[in-house]
Amino acid sequence: MKTQKITFFWGNYTEVIFSGWPGQSFSSYILALVLVFVLGFAVEWLSHTKIIKSSCTTDKITAGLLQTGMHGIRVGMAYLAMLAVMSMNVGVLLAAIAGYTVGFLIFGSTCVLVINYNAKMSSTSMQLPFHDDPDLPPFNC
């Protein structure tokens, strides 16, 4: 029986989420890191976006079901990111932190809000869908 490491380690010979994945190749390890980054980024995007249109708010049941589905997807992705970090690989940990951080910078920080506000003041205004009130409440641990 193969035992799992219980301390953080650095290296591309690891298993992330599934047994035997990403395998022994360095390119597969990099792919795993990119996927973990995208997972964290997607959780932040889903946490700060407004997908449900205001026209759906008249039908509260549809809006509630859509919101519940979005919450389930967000929680599932967050748990997958947590399971990836539990591989105890430093590269996976850093990829998850980077994904959440870059996602928050783009979708949740006031830095992008200021840029969006300045864009509204110009003649080429572009409304970004993640700066209104988000569909989901803040993510609590």
Side-chain angles (χ1 to χ4, degrees), residues 67-103:
Q67 193 176 25
T68 302
M70 287 173 56
H71 176 73
I73 291 169
R74 180 178 69 169
V75 168
M77 290 189 312
Y79 274 119
L80 282 175
M82 179 198 63
L83 287 173
V85 169
M86 287 175 59
S87 70
M88 304 303 284
N89 184 282
V90 175
V92 173
L93 173 67
L94 293 176
I97 291 171
Y100 278 102
T101 303
V102 171

Side-chain angles (χ1 to χ4, degrees), residues 108-131:
S109 74
T110 58
C111 173
V112 176
L113 287 174
V114 169
I115 293 169
N116 186 36
Y117 176 75
N118 291 336
K120 283 183 183 179
M121 295 300 159
S122 70
S123 61
T124 58
S125 176
M126 181 177 92
Q127 180 62 33
L128 300 175
F130 44 83
H131 290 288

Side-chain angles (χ1 to χ4, degrees), residues 44-63:
E44 285 298 320
W45 170 75
L46 199 55
S47 297
H48 294 95
T49 193
K50 182 150 183 77
I51 296 175
I52 301 172
K53 304 290 184 217
S54 59
S55 61
C56 283
T57 57
T58 56
D59 185 8
K60 298 290 186 189
I61 294 174
T62 302

